[in-house]
Amino acid sequence: MSTNLKQFRADLSQPWLKSFILIALVPLFPEYISFLLVIPAVILAWVDIRRSGRTVRLGFIGKVMIAYIAYMFITTLYSRNFLHSLATVAMWAFFFFVYLLVYNLLTDADRCDALLLCLTAVAGAVGLIACCQYRIGFFTQSNPIEFWGWLDKIVFEYIPLRIENPHYLLRSCSTFNNPNVLAEYLMTIAPFVVYFNFCERRKDIRIFCRICLLLTLCGVLFSFSRGGYMALIVLCLALIVLNFRRRFAAVTMYLVSAFILVPDEVIKRLISIIPGIKVGGKFLDSVTSGSNDATGNLGGTPSGALASPPSVTTPAEIINNSTADIAINDRFRMWLECLEHIAERPLVGYGAGIQNTWDILGENNIYAVHAHNFVLQILMEGGVIALVIMGLIGFTVIRYGIKLMHNGHSRAFWMGFAVLMFACAFILHGLVDYPLLTPKLVCNFMMILGIIDRSRALYANKGLPIRKSDTRKLTNDTEE
């Protein structure tokens, strides 16, 4: 039985669906609102669990995540920014309830479909806002309007937080405050939107789902995030390989349409990776050769300073010459500086949160809030111990994805595909950024971990997935 609007409406009175809707809506609102949405979602989840007589359970990934949060709490004891580190750990502990919520409410595949429908709709809405932002900015020759900027000005007058909010020329942020964060959210959720679109026929909502998928991908394009572009290319290539023989005509049409319709500025933004890598390579050569010119700056401009961009006329030139964008070669300088400090405290790092990294980079005249690399940031915060724990989570996610793809029926295969594509997107973004930077990203990460951990049980048996009509109960016998 496929998910349809009639079924969805019938379930609206159920606390589990209300809980899913609240969690799915988190990306549409500012970071500080996410906490207010999670609290009632957890309460509704608890009501559903109590009504059904179930007990709260943990999957293997959840147990490892508890170990990670507990260890990061220990790192606060030697952090030189104790309060910031403690707040970071508290945020992780708070959003761990999202994992618990998802893991314990996904008792059958119908509920999983309902959650994915909510996520698909919200991802489409976020992508639509990004598209509108870019086009309005394009035609008015102005920066895209920050969607929640008016509310941020009011709220941050009363919250004593240090906020970095640079302008990104012609780059859409949608409901986020950073285009890279927008791309990280959309590309980690996009594989599950793809799964919901193509795993089975959805007659009454097929057009809606296709539109949401298209808007999700367009939102990535107009973020002009090169990490997002790399993840999007991997996702598209994987879909082409899997569908080329069975759907040759459709795949050919999509490819031709992409070549024709993708804006020129998007192509030029992607190609801009190449010269940036070359400049970064020259910087590394100058460092290893001991040259006095090893500043890593373009045109002699101090790192972090606003260089005067050359005369530009096209959107592609405006975006690629935007001084708000941290150039690729500057990342090499950040990475080398982080490696030097990691070598001083390799085992335990400097404490949870980005504030310690921010301070260390600032002391060396590098104006960046984090290491712009997932592995380096984890090493800076918690050292090798934290990296091993997080690596175990990553290994488990990939292992679950592979097992699902080998499970023998199409829904398990495509869920496994979504899991592996999520891992690829996370890794590719993690090469050049820190994809767990904000509360909304952490919330999204916990939610997806809950889906992955529970999917292994939902689609464990060869044949049809567990449905509402099944009399079988989920047990922990699929957990290792």
Side-chain angles (χ1 to χ4, degrees), residues 4 32 50 52 121 127 136 141 148 172 183 185 196 243 288 317 325-326 342 352 355 360 368 374-375 424 443 450 475:
N4 51 68
Y32 39 84
R50 294 285 292 177
S52 62
I136 292 173
Q141 296 184 349
W148 292 112
S172 295
Y185 159 70
F196 188 72
N243 291 281
T288 55
E317 291 174 331
D325 179 33
I326 300 176
I342 289 169
Q355 188 64 52
I360 289 171
F374 177 74
V375 173
C424 286
C443 179
T475 62

Side-chain angles (χ1 to χ4, degrees), residues 204-471:
D204 51 350
I205 56 173
R206 180 180 178 183
I207 295 176
F208 172 77
C209 292
R210 297 292 194 273
I211 292 173
C212 288
L213 176 59
L214 178 63
L215 290 172
T216 300
L217 301 182
C218 288
V220 177
L221 293 181
F222 293 128
S223 72
F224 293 94
S225 167
R226 288 167 289 204
Y229 287 177
M230 291 188 294
L232 182 57
I233 289 173
V234 171
L235 176 62
C236 291
L237 288 177
L239 287 172
I240 290 170
V241 170
L242 290 176
N243 291 281
F244 192 76
R245 291 183 62 185
R246 295 179 59 188
R247 301 174 182 175
F248 175 80
V251 170
T252 303
M253 181 188 70
Y254 288 140
L255 288 174
V256 173
S257 301
F259 281 118
I260 295 174
L261 299 177
V262 172
D264 177 65
E265 55 266 31
V266 171
I267 302 298
K268 290 184 177 179
R269 176 67 170 173
L270 180 62
I271 296 174
S272 69
I273 296 174
I274 299 173
I277 292 175
K278 290 181 178 178
V279 174
K282 292 180 180 178
F283 168 65
L284 290 178
D285 290 340
S286 65
V287 171
T288 55
S289 63
S291 170
N292 293 329
D293 296 328
T295 60
N297 305 318
L298 288 172
T301 304
S303 177
L306 298 181
S308 299
S311 177
V312 293
T313 56
T314 67
E317 291 174 331
I318 293 173
I319 293 166
N320 288 322
N321 286 284
S322 170
T323 54
D325 179 33
I326 300 176
I328 295 176
N329 68 296
D330 285 336
R331 279 180 166 82
F332 284 95
R333 188 163 179 242
M334 297 175 205
W335 297 339
L336 287 175
E337 193 64 45
C338 287
L339 285 172
E340 288 184 9
H341 285 81
I342 289 169
E344 296 175 3
R345 303 179 72 170
L347 189 62
V348 296
Y350 293 85
I354 63 170
Q355 188 64 52
N356 291 318
T357 306
W358 191 350
D359 291 343
I360 289 171
L361 293 175
E363 291 167 2
N364 292 274
N365 297 319
I366 301 174
Y367 303 99
V369 299
H370 54 84
H372 281 82
N373 180 276
F374 177 74
V375 173
L376 294 180
Q377 185 62 40
I378 294 296
L379 287 171
M380 287 289 290
E381 294 186 23
V384 174
I385 297 176
L387 184 62
V388 169
I389 299 174
M390 192 62 74
L392 180 58
I393 294 176
F395 173 78
T396 304
V397 167
I398 294 172
R399 183 164 63 91
Y400 283 6
I402 294 173
K403 284 191 174 183
L404 284 168
M405 291 189 73
H406 286 87
N407 231 1
H409 58 90
S410 61
R411 287 178 64 88
F413 176 88
W414 284 106
M415 179 55 78
F417 171 81
V419 170
L420 292 179
M421 287 300 100
F422 159 75
C424 286
F426 191 90
I427 291 170
L428 288 171
H429 277 290
L431 292 175
V432 294
D433 216 320
Y434 182 49
L436 297 175
L437 177 63
T438 70
K440 288 199 289 188
L441 288 180
V442 174
C443 179
N444 186 61
F445 180 69
M446 292 292 188
M447 179 189 65
I448 292 176
L449 290 185
I451 294 173
I452 294 171
D453 222 358
R454 181 48 92 188
S455 293
R456 184 164 173 263
L458 292 179
Y459 306 102
N461 299 314
K462 292 187 177 181
L464 294 176
I466 296 173
R467 296 290 192 178
K468 287 182 180 178
S469 58
D470 293 334
T471 57

Side-chain angles (χ1 to χ4, degrees), residues 158-227:
Y158 302 97
I159 298 179
L161 293 177
R162 179 183 176 188
I163 303 299
E164 289 287 323
N165 194 21
H167 294 289
Y168 295 89
L169 300 182
L170 289 184
R171 297 180 63 187
S172 295
C173 299
S174 189
T175 55
F176 296 82
N177 58 8
N178 185 305
N180 295 325
V181 173
L182 167 65
E184 287 158 7
Y185 159 70
L186 289 177
M187 277 314 306
T188 52
I189 210 70
F192 298 94
V193 178
V194 170
Y195 162 81
F196 188 72
N197 269 264
F198 299 114
C199 67
E200 68 176 47
R201 299 176 66 86
R202 305 184 186 280
K203 297 179 181 178
D204 51 350
I205 56 173
R206 180 180 178 183
I207 295 176
F208 172 77
C209 292
R210 297 292 194 273
I211 292 173
C212 288
L213 176 59
L214 178 63
L215 290 172
T216 300
L217 301 182
C218 288
V220 177
L221 293 181
F222 293 128
S223 72
F224 293 94
S225 167
R226 288 167 289 204

